[in-house]
mmCIF file of all heavy atoms in Angstrom:
data_model
loop_
_atom_site.group_PDB
_atom_site.id
_atom_site.type_symbol
_atom_site.label_atom_id
_atom_site.label_comp_id
_atom_site.label_asym_id
_atom_site.label_seq_id
_atom_site.Cartn_x
_atom_site.Cartn_y
_atom_site.Cartn_z
ATOM 1 N N MET A 33 13.187 26.110 -37.756
ATOM 2 C CA MET A 33 13.263 27.485 -38.292
ATOM 3 C C MET A 33 12.891 28.507 -37.220
ATOM 4 O O MET A 33 13.585 29.488 -37.016
ATOM 5 C CB MET A 33 12.345 27.610 -39.519
ATOM 6 C CG MET A 33 12.290 28.973 -40.158
ATOM 7 S SD MET A 33 11.171 30.160 -39.357
ATOM 8 C CE MET A 33 9.571 29.611 -39.935
ATOM 9 N N GLY A 46 13.833 32.313 -43.025
ATOM 10 C CA GLY A 46 12.432 31.956 -42.758
ATOM 11 C C GLY A 46 11.456 33.014 -43.214
ATOM 12 O O GLY A 46 10.504 33.359 -42.508
ATOM 13 N N GLU A 47 11.689 33.515 -44.411
ATOM 14 C CA GLU A 47 10.932 34.661 -44.916
ATOM 15 C C GLU A 47 9.416 34.437 -44.939
ATOM 16 O O GLU A 47 8.646 35.355 -44.655
ATOM 17 C CB GLU A 47 11.421 34.959 -46.337
ATOM 18 C CG GLU A 47 11.115 36.349 -46.819
ATOM 19 C CD GLU A 47 11.941 36.649 -48.061
ATOM 20 O OE1 GLU A 47 11.625 36.102 -49.136
ATOM 21 O OE2 GLU A 47 12.900 37.407 -47.930
ATOM 22 N N CYS A 48 8.984 33.261 -45.285
ATOM 23 C CA CYS A 48 7.523 33.040 -45.416
ATOM 24 C C CYS A 48 6.873 32.618 -44.112
ATOM 25 O O CYS A 48 5.674 32.361 -44.063
ATOM 26 C CB CYS A 48 7.229 32.029 -46.525
ATOM 27 S SG CYS A 48 7.554 30.313 -46.040
ATOM 28 N N GLY A 49 7.646 32.545 -43.054
ATOM 29 C CA GLY A 49 7.066 32.220 -41.758
ATOM 30 C C GLY A 49 6.698 30.759 -41.582
ATOM 31 O O GLY A 49 5.975 30.404 -40.667
ATOM 32 N N GLY A 50 7.150 29.942 -42.490
ATOM 33 C CA GLY A 50 6.926 28.500 -42.308
ATOM 34 C C GLY A 50 5.841 27.936 -43.183
ATOM 35 O O GLY A 50 5.405 26.805 -42.985
ATOM 36 N N SER A 51 5.382 28.692 -44.174
ATOM 37 C CA SER A 51 4.298 28.186 -45.013
ATOM 38 C C SER A 51 4.796 27.529 -46.307
ATOM 39 O O SER A 51 4.036 27.394 -47.269
ATOM 40 C CB SER A 51 3.279 29.296 -45.302
ATOM 41 O OG SER A 51 3.934 30.459 -45.728
ATOM 42 N N MET A 52 6.051 27.144 -46.304
ATOM 43 C CA MET A 52 6.635 26.420 -47.445
ATOM 44 C C MET A 52 6.512 27.188 -48.750
ATOM 45 O O MET A 52 6.035 26.679 -49.750
ATOM 46 C CB MET A 52 6.011 25.031 -47.580
ATOM 47 C CG MET A 52 6.825 24.019 -46.809
ATOM 48 S SD MET A 52 6.334 22.304 -46.938
ATOM 49 C CE MET A 52 6.300 21.950 -48.629
ATOM 50 N N MET A 53 6.913 28.454 -48.709
ATOM 51 C CA MET A 53 6.853 29.254 -49.910
ATOM 52 C C MET A 53 8.148 29.972 -50.246
ATOM 53 O O MET A 53 8.214 30.703 -51.225
ATOM 54 C CB MET A 53 5.732 30.298 -49.786
ATOM 55 C CG MET A 53 4.364 29.633 -49.745
ATOM 56 S SD MET A 53 3.024 30.816 -49.676
ATOM 57 C CE MET A 53 3.174 31.584 -51.264
ATOM 58 N N CYS A 54 9.201 29.807 -49.417
ATOM 59 C CA CYS A 54 10.365 30.664 -49.666
ATOM 60 C C CYS A 54 11.699 29.905 -49.799
ATOM 61 O O CYS A 54 12.589 30.383 -50.466
ATOM 62 C CB CYS A 54 10.494 31.708 -48.553
ATOM 63 S SG CYS A 54 11.032 31.040 -46.984
ATOM 64 N N ALA A 55 11.871 28.811 -49.118
ATOM 65 C CA ALA A 55 13.134 28.055 -49.112
ATOM 66 C C ALA A 55 14.288 28.797 -48.465
ATOM 67 O O ALA A 55 15.444 28.400 -48.607
ATOM 68 C CB ALA A 55 13.521 27.571 -50.515
ATOM 69 N N THR A 56 14.008 29.893 -47.748
ATOM 70 C CA THR A 56 15.104 30.590 -47.049
ATOM 71 C C THR A 56 15.340 30.000 -45.651
ATOM 72 O O THR A 56 15.993 30.616 -44.818
ATOM 73 C CB THR A 56 14.840 32.108 -46.917
ATOM 74 O OG1 THR A 56 13.656 32.313 -46.122
ATOM 75 C CG2 THR A 56 14.682 32.767 -48.268
ATOM 76 N N CYS A 57 14.790 28.834 -45.425
ATOM 77 C CA CYS A 57 15.034 28.113 -44.166
ATOM 78 C C CYS A 57 15.765 26.802 -44.449
ATOM 79 O O CYS A 57 15.783 25.912 -43.604
ATOM 80 C CB CYS A 57 13.714 27.843 -43.447
ATOM 81 S SG CYS A 57 12.642 26.754 -44.408
ATOM 82 N N LEU A 79 10.328 22.822 -53.543
ATOM 83 C CA LEU A 79 10.747 24.146 -53.063
ATOM 84 C C LEU A 79 12.274 24.211 -52.936
ATOM 85 O O LEU A 79 12.881 25.247 -53.217
ATOM 86 C CB LEU A 79 10.077 24.413 -51.723
ATOM 87 C CG LEU A 79 9.937 25.889 -51.358
ATOM 88 C CD1 LEU A 79 9.194 26.630 -52.470
ATOM 89 C CD2 LEU A 79 9.188 26.029 -50.061
ATOM 90 N N LEU A 93 13.805 21.639 -45.320
ATOM 91 C CA LEU A 93 13.321 22.970 -44.959
ATOM 92 C C LEU A 93 13.165 22.939 -43.441
ATOM 93 O O LEU A 93 12.405 22.125 -42.906
ATOM 94 C CB LEU A 93 11.972 23.259 -45.613
ATOM 95 C CG LEU A 93 11.974 23.372 -47.143
ATOM 96 C CD1 LEU A 93 10.535 23.496 -47.655
ATOM 97 C CD2 LEU A 93 12.794 24.550 -47.616
ATOM 98 N N CYS A 95 11.663 24.773 -41.474
ATOM 99 C CA CYS A 95 10.316 25.071 -40.956
ATOM 100 C C CYS A 95 9.446 23.826 -40.923
ATOM 101 O O CYS A 95 8.381 23.828 -40.304
ATOM 102 C CB CYS A 95 9.633 26.167 -41.766
ATOM 103 S SG CYS A 95 9.218 25.712 -43.463
HETATM 104 S S1 FES B 10 10.268 29.373 -43.825
HETATM 105 FE FE1 FES B 10 9.670 29.574 -45.895
HETATM 106 S S2 FES B 10 9.819 27.558 -46.639
HETATM 107 FE FE2 FES B 10 10.458 27.390 -44.589
#
Side-chain angles (χ1 to χ4, degrees):
M33 179 279 282
E47 200 165 73
C48 76
S51 48
M52 268 184 54
M53 293 183 66
C54 72
T56 62
C57 64
L79 204 55
L93 294 174
C95 67

